[in-house]
Amino acid sequence: NGTLRDLSSGGCFVVAAVQPVGSMLKCTFTVDGVKIDFEAEVRYQDARDPDGSGMGLRFIRLESYATTAIEKLIASRPAAPE
């Protein structure tokens, strides 16, 4: 279990117990009621997150419906301040 953060079309950051860099994980999260199952590679670990340790994940296998749901969510968010 973990908390999904910093979602992009290519991956995400998850606050959770970290796994070794290069590990392959099977994960699930829900976007606007759509359950998304995917495989991801751990790209980096970060213990500096204010909410706890976490890891950056790169999506490896993502179905087209999942890509569409993620892109729709990203487009609906306000832009980050510069």
Side-chain angles (χ1 to χ4, degrees):
N1 291 335
T3 302
L4 180 70
R5 303 252 317 257
D6 299 328
L7 178 65
S8 74
S9 60
C12 59
F13 183 83
V14 178
V15 177
V18 296
Q19 300 297 314
V21 172
S23 296
M24 300 300 290
L25 305 177
K26 291 186 179 183
C27 305
T28 301
F29 64 88
T30 303
V31 173
D32 293 334
V34 177
K35 181 180 174 186
I36 297 176
D37 296 306
F38 63 97
E39 292 182 31
E41 176 187 9
V42 177
R43 299 293 291 165
Y44 67 91
Q45 300 173 347
D46 190 346
R48 299 171 294 156
D49 191 278
D51 293 328
S53 297
M55 57 196 151
L57 303 179
R58 178 174 65 100
F59 297 139
I60 299 296
R61 296 182 204 269
L62 197 60
E63 300 290 333
S64 61
Y65 79 89
T67 301
T68 300
I70 291 169
E71 289 174 351
K72 182 178 174 184
L73 177 65
I74 291 168
S76 72
R77 295 189 303 193
E82 293 185 25

